[in-house]
């Protein structure tokens, strides 16, 4: 198992602090005795358990200040040594120290192979991961400590940056297919995890480096500065407070490394796609106590969907300061500016099927726009008081600003004078909106390690706080419905009062916003919004904040490990903040977590877990008088058992999980055409299934990712009058989902360094919204073939990716006939990556 780059950084700083000189010791000679003081040399290589070179290992002559540090090849040289007894020490944090004792009589070679230590200094992930494969060994998000994925009693899926690069992926939505039980829900930053929805605009389902972050709902999150994507499956409330029941997506950003790495890449592809990225990291001072990383990104596409092109700019610098081997400080900054439009999906004929309208057809107007700005600033401090006691403190300030104008369907078809539905005309609405969110998260915890007899304990005591504000000035104007003769509008049409409505030339009620005619190709033209009758949507400022106190014990006794956690959560909503009608609601939750891991042998661990979850309804829902609020909070409970194993000398990991997940009090759209915001609260939903994930290397030049999920997710209890929803598979949740990706590189012969990648991604049919909703739909199953070619010339890698090689028509998900989300047709892209 390869030790992390953090090891090399910490040891480098520890050994160099207070010993700033790096000049070689001078040979002591005299004119009278030139041969008596002859000096000798020792050199060698230091590797990890799998034979990989370790850079940054401190090799020191015991009892002296003579030392050397291994280079990128793991090589070191110690010069000006005297003959006689000699002891060399090899130190690399995260690995067990080694000693070599020998008699030095001539120049000689001393190699060392270091094995991984059971403890790691790093309590939070502030320095970069050094592994370079599809397999990830450790996670911080599963327990808030540096724990082997194999030792976490809960399923954690992940996608590494190596897999991201090989698949030519650019967003989180592109890579979730590599994690069992996770599927796209729509085009948005929006997922189904084990049958339950996780959305970007609710911080309960999105984390950045284990911290709550505000993200866009509309746009998929870029991978420009992401080291890996992790998914904690099932509720993670015991660690993070209110959390989505199906799981939480955590994006781990790239962190500084102690070694110099520089990489630039450019991608060109179908639909005028052009992406450019840069990634630089290394030392900022000779001691290596100050490190940096800079990620830059530019993304542009015209899209396979009409008028859905966009541009994205990303700047993400990160700095780590390690003044000594006990203290580390980190600063991460992320800035993103996006310009494009909101894609609300494909609308089809009311009496037609999914193929009745081209998948390229969108309902956007040419003068629609979406402008988003996202800024994250993270400050992190870790201090180790002793070898067994450390303190971690992290603060994240996250802001999101939205400025948009759009035309979208109003979840209905236009009605004729006799109240019949016109199946080719989409009822439209127009919206102008500005929103400003500010999110502050503060996380503090103390790690205490101690032993009681043969039992090893890691105790974590923590307190965290988060606060989300919707700022004053957030506001919206909406034009919708039918025109009335009195100059007003209405969202309903009553044929018995037709004389109250403005009628068109055919005698049908005239819409406020021109309808979109699916038989007409001019629907995407510029719209004169000055002719619409707008009404102001009430969007009141609010604040949500939560305090959490939690305690966690990780106990290891021989082959048995226990994980015991308990959290007390205090969640507060302040609606209509600083207004006369301000209201305050506080909810409490006591959240337990119990898990166990049994080590059968060096390869296989068995695990089981029970955990509860808690998620209050969003303030925007609770404060909207049209939703039917107030609503009770969602509650969830997970039972899970499984096995985790490592094979082929720890190159390949396999995780198998069986789970039973229950959630109460889910909100669904009530399907009321007159009030599209009206929601209903379903009684109980149950998701159960089996998941298998495989990731890593079969051979050093043969990488593979395989996953499969069987998910049976149904509504088991429902409100009175909605019994027909019982037993329906949950929306956008395939019963069967499978994925395989493999990459093979030729290492010998005339085709040396040529590689091929091949993958298949398949899903069974999926339902749209629950059965009560009008125009519900079933999305057909699909299997997509993807392929790639690679060729490396020294520091340059060239690759060609072809997605949906057979040009299948398919849908990633959706709601109904008015909002479906087709996947991309055949897509080809070429990427050049240069490392220097």
């Amino acid at each position: 198992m390869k030790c992390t780059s953090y090891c090399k950084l910490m040891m480098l700083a520890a050994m160099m602090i207070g010993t700033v000189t790096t000049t070689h010791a001078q040979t002591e000679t005299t004119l009278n005795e030139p041969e008596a003081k002859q000096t000798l040399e020792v050199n060698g290589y230091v590797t990890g358990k799998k034979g990989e070179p370790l850079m940054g290992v401190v090799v020191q002559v015991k009892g002296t200040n003579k030392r050397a540090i291994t280079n990128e090849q793991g090589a070191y040289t110690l010069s000006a040594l005297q003959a006689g007894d000699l002891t060399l020490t090899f130190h690399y944090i995260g690995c067990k120290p080694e000693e070599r004792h020998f008699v030095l009589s001539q120049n000689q070679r001393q190699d060392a192979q270091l094995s991984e230590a059971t403890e790691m200094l790093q309590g939070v992930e502030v320095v970069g991961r050094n592994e370079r494969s599809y397999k990830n060994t450790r996670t911080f998000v599963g327990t808030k400590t540096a724990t082997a994925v194999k030792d976490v009693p809960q399923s954690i899926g992940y996608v590494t940056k190596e897999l991201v690069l090989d698949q030519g992926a650019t967003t989180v939505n592109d890579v979730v297919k590599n994690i069992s039980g996770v599927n796209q829900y729509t085009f948005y930053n929006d997922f189904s995890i084990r049958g339950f929805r996780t959305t970007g605009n609710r911080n309960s389902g999105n984390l950045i480096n284990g911290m709550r972050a505000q993200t866009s709902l509309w746009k998929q999150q870029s991978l420009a500065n992401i080291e890996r994507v992790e998914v904690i499956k099932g509720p993670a409330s015991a660690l993070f407070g209110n959390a989505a029941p199906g799981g939480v997506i955590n994006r781990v950003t790239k962190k500084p490394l102690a070694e110099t790495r520089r990489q630039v890449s450019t991608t060109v592809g179908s639909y005028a796609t052009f992406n450019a990225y840069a990634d630089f990291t290394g030392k900022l001072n000779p001691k290596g106590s100050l490190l940096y990383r800079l990620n830059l990104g530019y993304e542009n596409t015209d899209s396979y969907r009409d008028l859905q092109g966009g541009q994205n700019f990303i700047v993400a610098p990160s700095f780590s300061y390690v003044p000594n081997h006990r203290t580390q400080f980190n600063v991460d900054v992320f800035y993103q500016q996006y310009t494009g439009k909101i894609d609300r999906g494909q609308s089809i004929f009311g009496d037609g099927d999914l193929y009745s309208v081209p998948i390229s057809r969108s309902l956007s107007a040419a003068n629609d726009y979406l402008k988003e700005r996202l800024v994250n600033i993270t400050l992190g401090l870790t201090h180790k008081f002793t070898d067994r006691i450390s303190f971690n403190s992290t603060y994240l300030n996250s802001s999101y600003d939205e400025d948009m104008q759009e035309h979208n369907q109003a979840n209905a078809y236009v009605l004729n004078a006799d109240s019949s539905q016109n199946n080719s005309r989409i009822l439209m609405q127009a919206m102008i909106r500005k929103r400003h969110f500010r999110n502050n998260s503060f996380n503090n915890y103390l790690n205490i390690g101690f032993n009681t007899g043969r039992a090893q304990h890691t105790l974590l005591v923590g307190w965290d706080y988060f606060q989300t504000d919707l700022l004053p000035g957030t506001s919206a104007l909406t034009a919708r419905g039918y025109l009335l003769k009195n100059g007003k509008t209405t969202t309903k049409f009553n044929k018995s009062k037709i004389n109250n409505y403005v009628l068109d030339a055919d005698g049908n009620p005239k819409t406020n916003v021109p309808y979109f005619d699916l038989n007409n190709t001019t629907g995407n033209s510029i719209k004169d919004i000055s002719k619409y009758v707008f009404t102001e949507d009430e969007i009141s400022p609010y604040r949500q904040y939560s305090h959490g106190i939690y305690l966690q014990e990780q106990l290891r006794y021989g082959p048995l490990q226990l994980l015991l956690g308990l959290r007390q959560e205090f969640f507060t909503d302040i609606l209509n903040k600083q207004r006369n009608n301000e209201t305050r609601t506080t909810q409490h939750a006591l959240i337990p977590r119990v898990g166990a891991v049994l080590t059968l042998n060096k390869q296989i661990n068995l695990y089981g877990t029970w955990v509860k979850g808690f998620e209050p309804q969003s303030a925007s829902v609770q404060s909207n008088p049209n939703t039917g609020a107030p609503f009770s909070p969602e509650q969830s409970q997970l039972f899970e058992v499984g096995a985790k194993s490592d094979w082929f000398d720890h190159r390949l990991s396999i995780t198998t999980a069986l789970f039973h997940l229950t959630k109460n009090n889910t909100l669904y759209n009530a399907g009321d055409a007159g009030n599209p915001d009206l929601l209903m609260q379903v009684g109980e939903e149950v998701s159960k299934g089996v998941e298998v994930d495989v990731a890593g290397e079969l051979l050093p030049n043969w990488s593979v990712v395989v996953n499969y999920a069987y998910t049976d997710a149904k509504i088991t209890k429902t409100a009175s009058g909605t019994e027909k929803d019982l037993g329906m598979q949950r929306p956008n949740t395939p019963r069967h989902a499978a994925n395989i990706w493999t990459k093979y590189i030729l290492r010998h012969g005339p085709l040396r360094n040529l590689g091929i990648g091949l993958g298949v991604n398949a899903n069974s049919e999926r339902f749209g919204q629950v059965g009560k909703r009008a125009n519900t739909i079933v999305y057909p199953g699909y299997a997509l073939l993807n392929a790639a070619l690679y060729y490396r010339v020294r520091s340059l890698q060239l690759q060609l990716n072809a997605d949906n090689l057979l040009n299948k028509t398919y849908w990633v998900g959706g709601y109904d006939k008015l909002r479906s989300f087709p996947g991309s047709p055949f897509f080809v892209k070429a990427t050049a990556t240069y490392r220097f």
Side-chain angles (χ1 to χ4, degrees):
M1 186 177 296
K2 192 170 182 179
C3 302
T4 66
S5 62
Y6 176 73
C7 302
K8 69 181 77 169
L9 164 63
M10 292 301 292
M11 184 52 67
L12 187 60
M15 300 306 300
M16 296 186 78
I17 206 74
T19 335
V20 295
T21 179
T22 58
T23 57
H24 292 295
Q26 300 298 312
T27 305
E28 295 183 22
T29 59
T30 66
L31 294 176
N32 295 329
E33 298 178 324
E35 298 298 324
K37 298 296 183 180
Q38 179 182 2
T39 60
L40 301 173
E41 180 181 283
V42 176
N43 58 50
Y45 291 87
V46 184
T47 60
K49 184 177 180 181
K50 294 187 287 187
E52 73 279 11
L54 298 181
M55 175 185 175
V57 179
V58 178
V59 186
Q60 188 165 2
V61 179
K62 190 173 183 178
T64 74
N65 288 325
K66 292 183 183 295
R67 72 188 189 284
I69 298 171
T70 58
N71 61 18
E72 292 184 359
Q73 287 73 44
Y76 74 92
T77 300
L78 284 165
S79 304
L81 302 177
Q82 300 296 321
D85 289 348
L86 202 66
T87 300
L88 296 185
T89 62
F90 299 83
H91 289 278
Y92 192 57
I93 289 183
C95 292
K96 297 177 182 177
E98 294 281 346
E99 287 191 359
R100 293 284 188 276
H101 181 74
F102 54 95
V103 177
L104 182 64
S105 58
Q106 58 184 0
N107 293 343
Q108 62 178 274
R109 176 172 167 173
Q110 289 287 334
D111 296 336
Q113 187 176 49
L114 306 186
S115 59
E116 185 185 20
T118 56
E119 296 182 3
M120 297 181 68
L121 170 64
Q122 196 174 348
V124 290
E125 193 162 12
V126 297
V127 182
R129 164 184 172 271
N130 202 41
E131 293 177 290
R132 299 188 183 186
S133 75
Y134 295 172
K135 181 177 182 289
N136 182 58
T137 302
R138 292 188 177 272
T139 179
F140 293 80
V141 76
T143 60
K144 289 195 175 180
T145 61
T147 303
V149 174
K150 188 178 174 183
D151 292 335
V152 178
Q154 196 165 345
S155 182
I156 296 179
Y158 56 81
V159 175
T160 66
K161 68 178 183 296
E162 289 76 19
L163 182 56
V164 169
L165 177 62
D166 287 349
Q167 292 186 344
T170 58
T171 69
V172 174
N173 296 53
D174 292 336
V175 299
V176 294
K177 64 187 178 184
N178 298 291
I179 303 174
S180 66
V182 186
N183 300 90
Q184 291 192 63
Y185 202 97
T186 60
F187 284 152
Y188 311 146
N189 179 22
D190 186 12
F191 307 93
S192 171
I193 306 178
R194 287 184 169 176
F196 297 102
R197 193 177 184 186
T198 295
T199 62
N201 61 331
R202 299 187 68 176
N203 54 34
S204 56
N206 284 265
L207 302 175
I208 185 79
N209 297 319
M211 301 289 289
R212 297 176 180 275
Q214 192 71 42
T215 58
S216 168
L217 167 64
W218 311 118
K219 290 302 164 184
Q220 303 171 14
Q221 297 303 289
S222 173
L223 297 170
N225 70 319
I226 298 302
E227 175 71 33
R228 67 182 180 274
V229 177
E230 298 178 319
V231 176
I232 309 172
K233 299 177 188 177
S237 300
L239 280 179
F240 303 106
N242 64 300
V248 172
I249 295 179
N250 181 46
R251 288 169 293 136
V252 180
T253 59
K254 295 176 181 178
K255 302 298 193 304
L257 297 171
E259 62 184 274
T260 299
R261 291 188 189 177
R262 291 166 293 190
Q263 175 178 303
V264 292
S265 67
T266 301
T267 298
V268 293
S270 304
Y271 311 108
T273 294
F274 176 75
N275 301 326
Y277 303 102
D279 183 4
F280 306 103
T281 187
K283 305 174 186 176
L284 282 175
N285 64 353
K287 292 183 179 181
S289 59
L290 185 60
L291 309 176
Y292 82 98
R293 193 153 192 168
L294 176 63
N295 288 104
L296 304 172
Y298 169 75
E299 299 166 341
N300 179 85
T301 182
D302 283 347
S303 177
Y304 60 97
R305 301 268 299 151
D306 296 339
L307 299 182
Q308 296 307 315
Q311 290 184 334
N312 204 23
F313 295 91
I314 293 170
V315 180
S318 178
F319 303 93
S320 293
Y321 176 57
V322 189
N324 54 61
H325 72 286
R326 294 191 180 277
T327 305
Q328 54 202 24
F329 182 72
N330 197 73
V331 179
D332 283 288
V333 178
F334 175 83
Y335 175 87
Q336 175 178 287
Q337 183 75 47
Y338 174 83
T339 303
K341 293 179 175 65
I342 298 176
D343 191 347
R344 295 279 189 166
Q346 172 198 23
S347 294
I348 62 175
F349 290 97
D351 55 356
D353 60 21
L354 284 165
Y355 303 90
S356 63
V357 172
I359 64 170
S360 59
R361 184 78 57 83
S362 79
L363 304 187
S364 295
N367 53 328
D368 286 351
Y369 59 83
L370 171 67
K371 299 177 182 178
E372 294 182 320
R373 183 179 63 187
L374 180 64
V375 180
N376 293 330
I377 302 174
T378 307
L379 307 178
L381 171 68
T382 297
H383 180 71
K384 194 164 187 179
F385 297 101
T386 70
D387 289 341
R388 307 299 296 273
I389 302 175
S390 64
F391 174 71
N392 302 280
S393 182
T394 307
Y395 167 73
L396 169 64
N397 177 274
S398 180
S399 64
Y400 171 77
D401 296 284
E402 173 190 272
D403 179 10
M404 70 91 157
Q405 173 181 301
E406 68 161 337
H407 289 75
N408 63 68
Q409 44 73 28
N411 299 329
Y413 292 90
V414 171
L415 297 180
N416 298 316
D418 60 357
S419 290
S420 63
Q421 176 177 285
N422 190 319
N423 289 317
S424 64
R425 295 177 178 179
I426 310 299
L427 185 64
M428 298 293 292
Q429 60 185 7
M431 179 179 290
I432 302 171
R433 184 172 69 193
K434 294 181 183 292
R435 293 195 298 179
H436 308 281
F437 291 94
R438 298 295 180 265
N439 184 301
N440 291 276
S441 298
F442 194 33
N443 193 7
N444 307 270
Y445 55 93
L446 190 69
N447 273 320
I448 304 171
F450 61 95
N451 297 337
T452 55
R454 294 174 54 193
Q456 302 174 17
H457 305 265
T458 301
L459 185 66
L460 184 146
V461 181
W463 166 77
D464 58 31
Y465 173 82
F466 86 89
Q467 174 183 303
T468 299
D469 289 279
L470 181 64
L471 301 184
T474 295
S475 52
L477 299 174
T478 301
R480 59 164 68 98
Y482 300 92
L483 294 172
L484 297 174
K485 291 180 178 178
N486 62 6
K488 298 182 179 180
T489 64
T490 178
T491 58
K492 297 181 180 181
F493 172 66
N494 185 343
K495 67 177 181 179
S496 65
K497 298 180 181 180
I498 193 171
N499 292 329
N500 294 335
Y501 293 82
V502 176
L503 304 180
D504 63 17
D506 297 323
N508 296 316
K510 188 172 184 179
T511 57
N512 183 10
V513 177
Y515 54 76
F516 193 103
D517 189 346
L518 294 176
N519 291 312
N520 192 322
T521 59
T522 62
N524 300 125
S525 61
I526 295 175
K527 307 297 184 188
D528 185 359
I529 65 173
S530 66
K531 295 180 179 179
Y532 305 163
V533 178
F534 281 94
T535 57
E536 183 176 354
D537 294 337
E538 184 177 353
I539 305 178
S540 300
Y542 67 77
R543 170 173 291 178
Q544 291 180 325
Y545 64 89
S546 179
H547 296 268
I549 302 170
Y550 54 95
L551 179 69
Q552 177 182 277
E553 157 76 320
Q554 290 175 271
L555 183 150
R556 181 188 293 268
Y557 186 85
L560 179 65
Q561 301 176 66
L562 294 179
L563 177 64
L564 308 174
L566 189 66
R567 179 186 182 92
Q568 179 64 57
E569 181 86 2
F570 306 90
F571 189 95
T572 301
D573 267 325
I574 303 176
L575 306 180
N576 304 307
K577 188 173 179 291
Q578 296 181 343
R579 294 187 176 181
N580 294 333
N581 58 341
E582 178 179 297
T583 61
R584 182 185 299 258
T585 303
T586 299
Q587 302 176 63
H588 306 268
L590 185 65
I591 309 165
R593 183 188 190 191
V594 178
V597 178
L598 178 65
T599 301
L600 292 185
N601 52 47
K602 292 182 179 180
Q603 282 76 40
I604 302 174
N605 283 0
L606 302 180
Y607 75 91
T609 194
W610 169 71
V611 62
K612 285 195 169 185
F614 165 79
E615 186 176 18
Q617 307 294 350
S618 69
S620 59
V621 169
Q622 297 282 56
S623 61
N624 184 348
N626 297 322
T627 62
F631 297 107
S632 301
E634 295 178 352
Q635 296 177 335
S636 55
Q637 180 174 244
L638 171 70
F639 294 94
E640 182 179 320
V641 295
K644 300 183 181 184
S645 57
D646 287 331
W647 304 94
F648 302 108
D649 195 23
H650 299 282
R651 294 197 309 266
L652 187 78
S653 69
I654 302 177
T655 298
T656 303
L658 290 84
F659 66 91
H660 188 284
L661 178 59
T662 305
K663 186 176 94 164
N664 296 303
N665 300 330
T666 303
L667 290 179
Y668 280 98
N669 193 291
D672 185 342
N675 182 9
D677 293 334
L678 185 64
L679 302 173
M680 64 178 182
Q681 198 154 28
V682 179
E684 179 185 83
E685 297 161 286
V686 174
S687 175
K688 53 189 177 182
V690 180
E691 297 169 344
V692 179
D693 289 273
V694 180
E697 297 173 340
L698 297 174
L699 296 171
N701 60 327
W702 186 6
S703 300
V704 65
V705 167
V706 180
N707 58 77
Y708 168 76
Y710 169 77
T711 308
D712 181 18
K714 296 178 178 178
I715 299 171
T716 53
K717 294 181 183 178
T718 183
S720 176
T722 60
E723 290 83 359
K724 61 183 178 181
D725 296 337
L726 289 172
M728 285 197 64
Q729 181 80 349
R730 283 187 50 81
N732 295 295
T733 303
R735 194 176 298 274
H736 300 275
N739 178 73
I740 182 171
W741 173 266
T742 184
K743 171 189 173 184
Y744 188 84
I745 304 294
L746 297 173
R747 296 301 188 193
H748 307 285
L751 298 179
R752 181 175 178 268
N753 292 331
L754 178 68
I756 184 170
L758 194 64
V760 177
N761 175 238
N763 283 300
S764 61
E765 69 176 16
R766 288 135 296 130
F767 289 89
Q769 280 286 6
V770 293
K772 177 178 171 58
R773 188 176 182 84
N775 302 308
T776 190
I777 201 164
V778 177
Y779 299 102
Y782 61 85
L784 306 179
L785 178 64
N786 306 311
L789 288 174
Y790 311 91
Y791 187 67
R792 182 181 294 276
V793 184
R794 296 179 182 158
S795 297
L796 176 66
Q797 175 171 303
L798 304 174
Q799 71 183 73
L800 183 70
N801 291 83
D803 296 335
N804 194 2
L805 199 60
L806 302 180
N807 199 29
K808 292 285 188 71
T809 299
Y810 70 102
W811 286 261
V812 299
Y815 301 96
D816 49 44
K817 290 187 175 184
L818 291 158
R819 292 181 295 172
S820 297
F821 298 87
S824 172
F826 172 72
F827 189 101
V828 63
K829 50 196 165 187
T831 302
T833 302
Y834 183 70
R835 298 179 176 91
F836 58 101

